[in-house]
Amino acid sequence: MPEGDSIRRAATRLHTVLAGRVLTRSDLRVPRFATADLTGRVTLDVTPRGKHLLTRFEGGLTLHSHLRMDGAWHVFASGEKWRGGPAHEIRAVLGTADHTAVGYRLPVLELIRTAEEDRVVGHLGPDLLGPDWDPDLAAGNLVAAPERALGEALLDQRNLAGIGNIYKAELCFLAQVTPWTPVGALPESTLPRLAAAAHRLLSANIGERSGHRNTTGSRRPGQDLFVYGRAHRPCLRCGTPVREAPQDGRPTYWCPRCQQGPTP
């Protein structure tokens, strides 16, 4: 499940093989941009912004992609067999003399002017892993709608960019409140601490090449997350069975003993 840390890893992989190199192959397999040809252009950089990827080319063009739930970018050496899904799921191919980047199942793929990037990412709050990270601004954004449930507020990329469903559940556990707790019901010191914890967790997991996240600090198998994915299994802190219920259409996990507040 792509969240801010995995998007930054994807950006790093793409930047390493594309930046500063001339494209020898370009294939955008979406109807609107099927005739666009980037061949011969130099890739300037690949920059993550929250859960978005911005691949910039000379000539003022940017390829904007978003992975959502199932999308993925894979990098292959020249001549290497592509692995990532069937051919009909490929949405983008960017090749150089040495490597090919292949985008599978990309639900969002558009070619825009670099000067117009704000049209697709300008609404985002401070990026947890970006140079614009501002914990005070993030906390202020969260509390701007005090009646809103904390879990929903954390997932709203307009408040802070990079949190997905996994970190939502884990952060609510660390704050010792349920995801349905109204933001305005939290003590004044909670949101700044929560923003700092989010930054710390995502930063710590950037280097996890396996894609697995660890929020507990434990290296024991099956104990890398406090509550996410642990429905009916013991809470790692108190042993109480973790519960699960949907929130805004997504499975949400919490410990009924360690976390206080409203529940479905």
Side-chain angles (χ1 to χ4, degrees), residues 186-206:
L186 299 172
E188 185 176 345
S189 62
T190 297
L191 291 178
R193 289 191 291 106
L194 204 59
H199 175 68
R200 183 175 67 253
L201 290 179
L202 267 72
S203 298
N205 282 288
I206 290 176

Side-chain angles (χ1 to χ4, degrees), residues 63-110:
L63 186 64
H64 167 231
S65 60
H66 194 298
L67 308 186
R68 291 189 180 165
M69 293 293 291
D70 301 317
W73 279 98
H74 295 280
V75 173
F76 305 100
S78 180
E80 184 181 1
K81 182 178 180 180
W82 298 355
R83 305 174 306 280
H88 72 266
E89 293 184 345
I90 295 174
R91 297 292 176 267
V93 180
L94 301 175
T96 69
D98 301 313
H99 293 89
T100 303
V102 183
Y104 289 86
R105 300 172 299 279
L106 301 176
V108 176
L109 185 72
E110 57 180 337

Side-chain angles (χ1 to χ4, degrees), residues 139-205:
N141 290 343
L142 289 169
V143 80
E147 74 288 349
R148 196 174 192 187
L150 176 61
E152 294 178 6
L154 288 172
L155 285 180
D156 190 336
Q157 303 300 295
R158 295 171 298 181
N159 291 330
L160 65 172
I163 291 178
N165 208 36
I166 296 175
Y167 283 118
K168 177 197 82 171
E170 296 296 288
L171 288 165
C172 288
F173 177 84
L174 292 173
Q176 300 182 329
V177 296
T178 68
W180 292 271
T181 302
V183 171
L186 299 172
E188 185 176 345
S189 62
T190 297
L191 291 178
R193 289 191 291 106
L194 204 59
H199 175 68
R200 183 175 67 253
L201 290 179
L202 267 72
S203 298
N205 282 288

Side-chain angles (χ1 to χ4, degrees), residues 2-17:
E3 303 199 23
D5 51 2
S6 54
I7 297 302
R8 183 158 290 270
R9 287 195 297 273
T12 299
R13 289 195 302 271
L14 292 171
H15 184 86
T16 299
V17 301

